[in-house]
Structures are given as structure tokens and as C-alpha cells.
Amino acid sequence: MKTKYAIVFICIVALVIIEKENNIISSNTTQNGSLMVLKMLLSKLTGTAGNNSSHSEGQEEEDLVDLHSYNYSSGHKHILLLATTRTGSSFVGEFFNQHGENMFYLFEPLWHVERMLTAAEEANNRFVGPTIYRDVLQGLFLCDFSPLEKFIFPQPKDHVTPSLFRRESSISLCEEPVCTPVIKGVFERYHCKTRQCGPLNLTLASESCLSKQHHAIKTVRVRQLETLKPLVEDPRLDVRVIQLVRDPRAILASRMVAFSSKYQTWKAWAQDGQVPEDDEEVMRLKGNCDHIRMSAEVGLSRPPWLRNRYMLVRYEDIARYPMQKAEEMYKFTGIPFSPQAREWILKNTQTTQEASGIYSTQKNSSEQAEKWRFSIPFTLAQVVQRVCGPTMELFGYRLVNDEKTLINKSISLLEERLFN
Ligand SMILES: *[C@@H]1O[C@H](CO)[C@@H](O)[C@H](O)[C@H]1NC(C)=O
Ligand SMILES: *[C@@H]1O[C@H](CO)[C@@H](O)[C@H](O)[C@H]1NC(C)=O
Ligand SMILES: *[C@@H]1O[C@H](CO)[C@@H](O)[C@H](O)[C@H]1NC(C)=O
Ligand SMILES: *[C@@H]1O[C@H](CO)[C@@H](O)[C@H](O)[C@H]1NC(C)=O
Ligand SMILES: *[C@@H]1O[C@H](CO)[C@@H](O)[C@H](O)[C@H]1NC(C)=O
Ligand SMILES: *[C@@H]1O[C@H](CO)[C@@H](O)[C@H](O)[C@H]1NC(C)=O
Ligand SMILES: *[C@@H]1O[C@H](CO)[C@@H](O)[C@H](O)[C@H]1NC(C)=O
Ligand SMILES: *[C@@H]1O[C@H](CO)[C@@H](O)[C@H](O)[C@H]1NC(C)=O
């Protein structure tokens, strides 16, 4: 207890000194690190060192862990955009990719891990995914590519690879100095969108990463938020998790288009109107919905390790109010919403230009978000509602009882919800 009071005292003194230096204490965003940390520390310590000593040792330890995470937050932020396929995560990822020169963004680096693990797990009949995904993410947030390198196939030579998945989706990996000149005749097909680059030198990527203040990773490959606890608690990181969700009926409709051949079974079911409830495909859909819901339940229950570090966002809200939602997300992450990001969003939410590819992010987002209602057969919408009911309920997606309602655009299937 004595030490606690001593710390409080030191904090107050320090705070006064800093306050003098700054002249003002305001929410001015250019104020960084130390002051915030001290204020945090102070409020926490006075909170627990007051008249009640009913806090357990465990609680104090938790508070301390929480405080550590402010150590590194001298500006560095680590954003994890957590989603599933067809939730608009490429689009939302761009909000951060386009931030500007202070951002190092990676698009689905875990693709490599998943591909290799799937084979290995099938061989060993053992599921090891969550810890490996987490360790690779941790490495990447710290600008260490070596844990990921083990999963890149073919194996990089001298830390150079022409095979990084969707390299062109990361601005940092396509600009100087990471973009090296193309060697004539070699790897010529590995280029970025705006320029030709030689194979990726991961050492250069790591150096670029270290030089940038903020790091963001988008992934659709983490199934359970809870498995990330050690990552979020890593004192070297200041992790913010944004979970992106979407109406599961829309996801199915979108997947049936994007991954057409994989969804032949569903198309057949839609044709003859019969869907076997215990089919593997239906069970997988249910599993996905359950995982998404359970992750959200963990996040929304605000456990101490996720305090102020979790945000749930619905794709539909982003489609309706892209600028406002982007602003909220940036505010949550503590990163200034840059003019470049703002401009990109403006450009890409107002265009009428049709999507040029299935991964394209150039869409009229509010229109796009409702299209599924006309493409999904009602039978399949019913199946989704049956197995994903609790998930839809949690996120505020209205069930429909007949096809007329499904395709009646003047009936909204979205309940207004505030999650955070
Ligand atoms: C913060 O304060 C600095 C100088 O005190 C000023 O230049 C800057 O515009 C302020 N920023 C905001 C967001 O108020
Ligand atoms: C002590 O706790 C009570 C509530 O239990 C609170 O009203 C009071 O302000 C506290 N006193 C101090 C000095 O923190
Ligand atoms: C303080 O402790 C008393 C008794 O131990 C308890 O009834 C009260 O709720 C506590 N107050 C706070 C603010 O924790
Ligand atoms: C903190 O802000 C000051 C100016 O307010 C700046 O000189 C310093 O470089 C900043 N430190 C970090 C770590 O961002
Ligand atoms: C990759 O970049 C590093 C850092 O500049 C350099 O030392 C290394 O030689 C490069 N590797 C290759 C194979 O060019
Ligand atoms: C806190 O920050 C300092 C300087 O940035 C660093 O050396 C130290 O390792 C950090 N402590 C922890 C626990 O991360
Ligand atoms: C985007 O779609 C919405 C909904 O259909 C429509 O109202 C709006 O005019 C479209 N915007 C542009 C720029 O085409
Ligand atoms: C669509 O729903 C609205 C509101 O419930 C209703 O007034 C309208 O008649 C419906 N349109 C069709 C074509 O069913």
C-alpha cells in the first residue's frame, strides 16, 4: 500500500511538471505518450488505493498488465481487422492501407499459414492453428517476418520471395524502398498494381515496417477472438481489434457467386427446394456463425484484457455511412484519420463503376450491400436463418418469413444497433 501511495505521489508531481510544460491539458491529439500514460496510471491507482482495499491481488495484477500495454503506446498502434470472407474486409482494410506514410498494412498474411497447416493438420489429425496464427501475427506486428517465412511456399531464399500472397494489396510492400527493380526475364510477372517490382525482399519489408508508426493486419483466418488474448496482452504492442460482421444471408449469397464451383451443392438445393439439415455444408455454416457470435460475445462482454481494445462493426453500417464509420474506427484506434484515407473513401463509395473483379473494392457500397436480397433463393435464406438465428439476433439482422419481404426493398432487414 505504501508503495502505491508513493507511486501516486510521483505521478502527481510528474503530471504537474508535464502540465506546466504543455501549458494546457486538452484532448489535443498531438499530445502523445507520457501524459496519457500518467493520467491513466493516476486514475487507476487512485481507484484501487482509495478507501476500499477489497480488490484482490488478482485484480491488481490485471490492472498492472493493462498499464504495461500503455508503455509502448508512445504512438505505435497495432490494428487487427478480424473478419470472415465476403464481409467487405478488403474494402474496410483499405481504410487503413490508404492511411498514408505512417501505416504498414498487410493483407491476409495468414493465408500462407492456413494453406500449410491444413495439409499438416490433416496429416497429423491434430488442430494446432490458433497458437500458430497468433504467433505469426505477433511476429508481424513486431515487424519480424521470420515466423511467417516458415509457411511461405516455396521457401524464401535469403529472405526473398516472389510468392507473398496478394502483395499488391499492401501499399507499403509496393513502394520504395521495398519495391526493388525488376530483373529482366526473372519474376517479371510479380508486380504491384501501379508499378513493376522485383521479388519481395522480406528484410526490406521488415525495415519498412519498423520505420512506420502504425501497423494494421487484415485477416479472415482467426476463428476465435479468445485465442488472441496473449497477443493483446503483449506489453510491446498496443493492439486494437476491429471485428467486422455481415448478415450471414448476404455472406452466403456472395460466396455462391465468388466461389461458384464450391457452392454447387447449395445451388442444387435451391433448385429442388430440399436442404438436408445435417449436411456437412450446413453444419459448417452453423459452425462459422457460432464462431463469429462467440467472438463477438467475448468482445462485447468487455473482459479486462480487451478493455477499450475491441470494436464491433457491421458491414451494412459501413456501406450506409462509410465516412462516419471510418471516422469512428479511426477514433477507436487512436490514429488520426488522414486526408488520404478520407479521399480514398470518398472516391470509392460514390462511384457507379461496376466491380471489375470479385475482390474489387470499387463499388457503390450502399447499393451493393442490399443486392444479395435479390440473388439468394428464399429457401437458402431460410436455411441460414435456421442455423444462424442467434448470430443474426445478436447483430440485429431481421429474419424474413416470406420471399415477398426478402425482395421488398422498402423493408429494412437491419435493426439500428449500437455496439460499442
Ligand atoms: C494541438 O495543439 C497544437 C499546438 O498547441 C496545434 O498546432 C494543433 O492544431 C492542435 N491540434 C488539435 C487537433 O487541436
Ligand atoms: C470511499 O468509498 C465510497 C463508496 O464506497 C465513496 O462514496 C467515497 O467517495 C470513497 N472515498 C474516497 C476517499 O475515495
Ligand atoms: C467498499 O467495501 C464495502 C465493504 O467491504 C462494500 O460494501 C462497498 O461496496 C465497497 N465500495 C466500493 C466502492 O467498492
Ligand atoms: C511527442 O510529441 C512531441 C511534441 O509534442 C514530439 O516532439 C515527440 O517526438 C513525440 N514523441 C513521440 C514518441 O511521438
Ligand atoms: C535484401 O535487403 C537487405 C537489406 O537492404 C540486403 O542486405 C540484402 O542483400 C537483400 N537481399 C537480397 C537477396 O538482395
Ligand atoms: C517500455 O518502453 C521502453 C522504451 O520504449 C522499452 O525499452 C521497454 O522494454 C518497455 N517495457 C515493456 C515492458 O515493454
Ligand atoms: C449508390 O447507390 C445508392 C442506392 O442505390 C443510390 O441512391 C446512389 O445514387 C448511388 N450513388 C452513386 C454515386 O451512383
Ligand atoms: C413493400 O413493403 C411496403 C411496406 O411494408 C408495402 O407498403 C408495399 O406494399 C410492399 N411492396 C410490395 C411489392 O409488396
Side-chain angles (χ1 to χ4, degrees):
M1 268 308 164
K2 260 188 186 163
T3 51
K4 255 189 184 171
Y5 282 118
I7 293 171
V8 172
F9 179 69
I10 291 166
C11 284
I12 292 171
V13 172
L15 192 55
V16 167
I17 292 169
I18 286 179
E19 201 162 345
K20 278 221 166 110
E21 268 181 9
N22 275 306
N23 259 329
I24 40 153
I25 285 201
S26 67
S27 54
N28 189 323
T29 49
T30 60
Q31 271 176 7
N32 51 16
S34 50
L35 184 59
M36 297 297 282
V37 175
L38 273 170
K39 280 180 138 183
M40 266 289 311
L41 200 63
L42 200 55
S43 70
K44 279 193 179 283
L45 284 168
T46 46
T48 51
N51 56 13
N52 262 14
S53 51
S54 62
H55 277 298
S56 67
E57 285 299 312
Q59 179 68 42
E60 283 177 23
E61 246 170 48
E62 243 167 27
D63 284 341
L64 280 177
V65 166
D66 208 38
L67 285 177
H68 277 305
S69 58
Y70 284 85
N71 174 40
Y72 191 67
S73 72
S74 52
H76 297 269
K77 307 284 182 196
H78 305 85
I79 297 141
L80 190 64
L81 181 59
L82 214 61
T84 55
T85 54
R86 314 315 294 170
T87 54
S89 61
S90 307
F91 179 69
V92 179
E94 286 300 307
F95 289 12
F96 295 102
N97 190 31
Q98 301 288 336
H99 174 265
E101 57 185 17
N102 278 332
M103 177 62 74
F104 189 86
Y105 171 77
L106 290 173
F107 179 99
E108 295 298 338
L110 297 181
W111 179 88
H112 294 282
V113 183
E114 181 185 59
R115 188 177 58 158
M116 205 169 275
L117 281 187
T118 308
E121 278 167 4
E122 274 161 13
N124 294 317
N125 198 21
R126 196 164 70 93
F127 191 58
V128 289
T131 44
I132 294 184
Y133 286 140
R134 187 181 65 222
D135 293 346
V136 171
L137 285 175
Q138 185 173 40
L140 292 174
F141 272 144
L142 293 166
C143 303
D144 177 5
F145 281 78
S146 52
L148 175 65
E149 249 185 76
K150 291 183 209 138
F151 294 96
I152 298 176
F153 184 84
Q155 190 82 37
K157 281 202 183 85
D158 298 326
H159 311 290
V160 173
T161 176
S163 315
L164 189 82
F165 179 64
R166 295 285 303 274
R167 168 190 181 176
E168 72 277 10
S169 298
S170 165
I171 288 176
S172 327
L173 297 184
C174 283
E175 64 181 14
E176 305 284 348
V178 185
C179 178
T180 53
V182 180
I183 309 157
K184 273 273 167 252
V186 190
F187 301 129
E188 255 180 304
R189 64 198 174 88
Y190 300 104
H191 54 80
C192 292
K193 270 180 201 148
T194 49
R195 58 184 351 156
Q196 298 277 322
C197 298
L200 179 65
N201 181 333
L202 291 165
T203 312
L204 286 176
S206 172
E207 285 169 7
S208 163
C209 173
L210 284 168
S211 75
K212 313 233 170 186
Q213 199 175 8
H214 308 304
H215 304 153
I217 298 175
K218 157 187 127 65
T219 180
V220 295
R221 290 174 167 86
V222 173
R223 283 165 74 79
Q224 293 182 53
L225 180 57
E226 206 143 18
T227 62
L228 298 179
K229 188 166 183 271
L231 177 72
V232 175
E233 288 177 336
D234 186 327
R236 296 165 297 178
L237 303 175
D238 185 358
V239 178
R240 307 287 151 111
V241 180
I242 298 177
Q243 187 180 359
L244 179 65
V245 300
R246 186 182 184 187
D247 191 321
R249 293 167 299 194
I251 294 177
L252 178 62
S254 178
R255 282 185 183 155
M256 286 176 68
V257 175
F259 314 123
S260 179
S261 58
K262 268 192 178 173
Y263 280 81
Q264 290 305 328
T265 344
W266 288 87
K267 282 174 193 160
W269 290 336
Q271 293 273 306
D272 59 44
Q274 290 291 312
V275 183
E277 289 288 294
D278 55 352
D279 185 274
E280 203 183 312
E281 291 277 326
V282 180
M283 296 315 285
R284 190 174 305 138
L285 172 67
K286 181 172 164 31
N288 287 343
C289 275
D290 287 343
H291 275 116
I292 295 164
R293 192 192 73 245
M294 289 188 293
S295 287
E297 280 169 351
V298 167
L300 295 174
S301 71
R302 301 169 195 276
W305 63 277
L306 267 179
R307 211 181 297 148
N308 301 324
R309 299 192 178 282
Y310 173 83
M311 180 182 193
L312 179 76
V313 185
R314 293 188 302 189
Y315 171 72
E316 293 80 3
D317 292 327
I318 293 174
R320 293 188 299 164
Y321 316 111
M323 198 57 79
Q324 182 190 328
K325 282 287 147 185
E327 226 156 82
E328 283 173 25
M329 280 188 262
Y330 265 101
K331 187 159 182 241
F332 160 74
T333 62
I335 300 172
F337 190 20
S338 68
Q340 296 104 296
R342 204 179 281 273
E343 198 176 302
W344 186 91
I345 293 165
L346 266 180
K347 239 171 79 197
N348 288 277
T349 49
Q350 295 194 333
T351 175
T352 47
Q353 202 175 320
E354 250 315 296
S356 53
I358 56 161
Y359 290 110
S360 173
T361 49
Q362 262 202 6
K363 292 166 184 173
N364 179 338
S365 54
S366 57
E367 188 178 307
Q368 202 67 25
E370 291 261 48
K371 263 192 169 170
W372 67 270
R373 291 175 65 173
F374 302 94
S375 75
I376 193 170
F378 179 63
T379 326
L380 300 190
Q382 277 181 306
V383 175
V384 178
Q385 294 183 170
R386 222 171 293 140
V387 301
C388 297
T391 309
M392 295 177 67
E393 163 64 27
L394 177 65
F395 299 143
Y397 298 127
R398 286 203 184 100
L399 308 188
V400 295
N401 295 317
D402 50 64
E403 185 162 12
K404 260 195 195 143
T405 313
L406 177 66
I407 61 173
N408 186 339
K409 255 192 171 172
S410 53
I411 299 172
S412 169
L413 300 186
L414 201 61
E415 282 166 26
E416 298 302 328
R417 288 273 168 94
L418 287 177
F419 296 100
N420 302 286

